[in-house]
């Protein structure tokens, strides 16, 4: 048990260190003079990507940190592209804004320090203008009294109406528009097609990723039994298997994803120990035998942080777990070692039908091209009390799992 826990802690440390390292991807920078230089760009997430561009010409070159004032923009060969522009709010400061649509009118976005997303438009050589939608809480009187209601205003519609001038078909859609990325992107792309009379440059939209796969492995649990003193017991190595679903919403950090698993496990534990006798056998030693068996279904929800490039991709994940015990049994049998012993007595310990806990896992993802991804993971989970009376603690379980997820 200690060796397994030590291995998990070591693997977690290595995984956290590996995923925290800079993730360089093929891309380019556009210098102030307009020259484009190819190289490698560090993927940093939405907030940090707006503040700096970490660039190197190749894997051996030194890393240069560029500020928005030093570049016209940068981008990944397969991924987001950024334009350096001063924000309209005072004091004006240059920021790398992500390009959502590009043409006569550009649609741009950024995420601020409070994790709030902002949208901007830029037409030809004009400065960027922020698109704003406001929600205000107002008080309204009614026969039942004063009520608080939310009133939404749409200043951005007026901005877009003047920006997208000359294309009545597009302007006619603004009356129903909401400040939503998909709607704004569609409107600006439609205008660019209309204004130029040719197909506009369309930035590939972000899409959510959904994948499914299978898991199988082995686990071993450790319990504490309180019977006039604590006794430690460990289960035999039992099977664990099931399925998992991975989902990464379109606006998540690329290294983050959500995972839901349904697992089946089986654990069996037996412990023999001695205790003082009772009643007429008070002076004798009682041999006691505890048998605990549990067959369970687990529902696990995890938040995973993993590298998204490389032949070997370390990951860590954590989340809650609910276990429903479809078969559960715990029996304590007492036997006396005397010349004329009584028949062994047995007492059933009532186990809970379900219990709750948490999961910590660390491992490696091994991509197999478009076919899918192999997974190797060490996992530790801790559950609350297994018995109704609390005399049998929840299991602290270590597991080793292998899995395969379908799809790139």
């Amino acid at each position: 048990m200690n060796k397994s826990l030590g291995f998990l802690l070591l693997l977690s440390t290595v995984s956290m260190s590996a995923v925290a390292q800079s993730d360089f991807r093929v891309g380019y920078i556009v210098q102030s003079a307009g020259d484009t230089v190819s190289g490698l760009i560090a993927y940093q997430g939405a907030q940090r990507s707006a503040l700096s561009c970490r660039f190197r010409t190749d894997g051996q070159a030194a890393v240069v940190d560029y500020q928005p004032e030093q570049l016209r923009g940068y981008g990944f060969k397969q991924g987001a592209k950024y334009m350096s522009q001063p924000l309209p709010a005072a004091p004006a400061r240059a920021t790398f804004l992500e390009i959502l649509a590009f043409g006569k009118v550009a649609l741009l976005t950024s995420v601020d320090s409070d994790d709030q997303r902002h949208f901007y438009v830029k037409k030809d050589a004009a400065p960027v203008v922020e698109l704003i939608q406001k929600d205000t809480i107002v008080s309204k009187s009614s026969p039942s009294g004063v009520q608080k209601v939310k009133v939404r205003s749409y200043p951005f519609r007026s901005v877009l109406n003047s920006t997208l001038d000359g294309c009545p078909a597009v302007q006619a859609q603004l009356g129903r528009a909401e400040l939503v990325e998909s709607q704004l992107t569609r409107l600006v792309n439609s205008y660019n097609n209309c204004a130029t009379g040719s197909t506009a440059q369309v930035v590939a939209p972000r899409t959510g990723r959904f994948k499914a796969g299978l898991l199988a492995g082995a686990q071993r649990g450790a319990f504490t039994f309180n019977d006039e003193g604590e006794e430690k017991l460990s289960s035999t190595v039992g099977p664990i298997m099931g399925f998992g679903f991975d989902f990464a919403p379109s606006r998540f950090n690329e290294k983050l994803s959500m995972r839901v698993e349904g697992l089946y496990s089986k654990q069996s534990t037996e412990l023999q120990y001695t205790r003082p006798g009772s009643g007429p056998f008070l002076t004798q030693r009682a041999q006691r035998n505890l048998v605990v068996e549990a067959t369970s279904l687990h529902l696990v929800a995890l938040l995973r942080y993993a590298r998204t490039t490389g032949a070997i991709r370390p990951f860590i994940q954590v989340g809650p777990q609910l276990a429903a015990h479809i078969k559960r049994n715990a029996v304590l049998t007492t036997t006396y070692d005397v010349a004329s012993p009584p028949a062994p007595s047995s007492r059933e310990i009532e186990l809970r039908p379900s219990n709750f806990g948490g999961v910590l896992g660390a491992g490696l993802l091994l991509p197999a091209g478009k076919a899918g991804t192999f997974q190797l993971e060490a996992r530790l989970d801790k559950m609350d009390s297994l018995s109704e009376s609390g005399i049998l603690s929840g299991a602290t379980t270590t597991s080793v799992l292998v899995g395969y997820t379908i799809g790139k």
Side-chain angles (χ1 to χ4, degrees):
M1 176 66 185
N2 291 334
K3 291 182 179 179
S4 299
L5 179 58
F7 173 71
L8 177 65
L9 293 175
L10 175 62
L11 187 56
S12 298
T13 302
V14 172
S15 297
M16 291 178 67
S17 175
V19 295
Q21 294 175 1
S22 295
D23 181 5
F24 281 89
R25 308 180 186 184
V26 177
Y28 63 89
I29 60 172
V30 182
Q31 297 177 319
S32 298
D35 299 328
T36 299
V37 181
S38 299
L40 300 173
I41 305 288
Y43 176 82
Q44 304 182 91
Q47 293 181 6
R48 294 178 63 187
S49 294
L51 301 177
S52 69
C53 168
R54 304 190 69 222
F55 173 80
R56 59 187 182 190
T57 54
D58 56 53
Q60 306 302 318
V63 177
V64 180
D65 281 310
Y66 286 105
Q67 305 305 306
E69 296 83 1
Q70 298 173 286
L71 297 175
R72 289 191 183 184
Y74 72 93
F76 298 96
K77 182 178 180 180
Q78 295 182 337
K81 294 169 176 55
Y82 297 85
M83 175 191 298
S84 177
Q85 289 292 314
L87 294 181
R93 57 183 177 83
T95 301
F96 288 124
L97 300 177
E98 183 181 351
I99 302 171
L100 299 178
F102 190 76
K104 185 176 180 61
V105 172
L107 176 65
L108 310 168
T109 186
S110 68
V111 178
D112 63 23
S113 58
D114 295 324
D115 208 30
Q116 297 297 311
R117 182 163 294 279
H118 299 262
F119 296 97
Y120 308 87
V121 288
K122 175 178 171 57
K123 186 173 185 179
D124 295 326
V128 297
V129 180
E130 184 171 4
L131 303 178
I132 297 174
Q133 178 175 286
K134 294 181 178 180
D135 289 331
T136 306
I137 303 299
V138 299
S139 299
K140 287 191 174 182
S141 299
S142 67
S144 59
V146 177
Q147 295 181 330
K148 301 287 186 180
V149 296
K150 181 174 71 173
V151 177
R152 174 167 290 179
S153 61
Y154 302 89
F156 80 90
R157 292 178 179 174
S158 297
V159 173
L160 286 181
N161 190 58
S162 60
T163 303
L164 308 182
D165 61 316
C167 290
V170 177
Q171 292 174 303
Q173 303 175 43
L174 297 178
R176 300 183 301 275
E178 296 286 334
L179 197 67
V180 177
E181 180 178 324
S182 59
Q183 294 189 33
L184 297 176
T185 303
R186 177 175 51 80
L187 287 168
V188 173
N189 282 332
S190 297
Y191 172 79
N192 287 334
N193 290 335
C194 168
T196 62
S198 59
T199 303
Q201 178 180 341
V202 178
V203 178
R206 294 176 181 266
T207 57
R209 306 188 306 274
F210 180 83
K211 295 184 288 187
L214 300 174
L215 284 167
Q219 65 173 5
R220 188 171 187 177
F223 305 82
T224 299
F225 183 58
N226 294 291
D227 179 28
E228 302 170 5
E230 289 189 351
E231 294 291 339
K232 304 292 185 180
L233 61 158
S234 297
S235 71
T236 57
V237 176
I240 180 169
M241 63 191 73
F243 56 87
F245 297 101
D246 290 295
F247 178 60
S250 60
R251 275 300 172 184
F252 256 35
N253 182 306
E254 286 189 16
K255 295 182 181 180
L256 286 174
S257 63
M258 296 183 293
R259 182 173 175 84
V260 177
E261 296 175 351
L263 302 173
Y264 166 91
S265 72
K266 187 174 184 179
Q267 290 188 337
S268 178
T269 304
E270 184 170 0
L271 174 69
Q272 293 183 345
Y273 61 98
T274 60
R275 281 287 185 269
S278 60
F281 300 98
L282 185 62
T283 60
Q284 305 297 322
R285 301 291 291 176
Q287 302 293 326
R288 297 189 177 180
N289 186 74
L290 174 67
V291 176
V292 181
E293 296 177 325
T295 301
S296 311
L297 298 177
H298 306 258
L299 179 63
V300 188
L302 297 164
L303 181 65
R304 172 180 287 182
Y305 184 63
R307 290 202 65 172
T308 56
T309 58
I312 299 177
R313 304 176 184 180
F315 71 88
I316 55 174
Q317 57 187 14
V318 64
Q321 171 178 211
L322 175 66
H325 309 297
I326 56 177
K327 180 180 179 182
R328 60 191 189 277
N329 183 51
V331 177
L332 179 64
T333 302
T334 303
T335 304
Y336 289 98
D337 187 15
V338 295
S340 300
S345 61
S346 296
R347 174 168 67 93
E348 186 172 342
I349 299 169
E350 187 175 2
L351 301 182
R352 297 168 62 187
S354 63
N355 58 343
F356 183 80
V359 177
L360 170 65
L364 302 172
L365 300 175
L366 307 173
K370 295 182 179 180
T373 303
F374 292 97
Q375 170 182 326
L376 174 63
E377 180 187 2
R379 183 177 292 189
L380 174 70
D381 57 84
K382 172 65 178 175
M383 307 297 289
D384 60 7
S385 179
L386 183 59
S387 64
E388 292 286 3
S389 61
I391 63 173
L392 187 62
S393 72
T396 299
T397 303
T398 53
S399 310
V400 176
L401 295 162
V402 293
Y404 181 75
T405 301
I406 303 171
K408 185 176 180 180

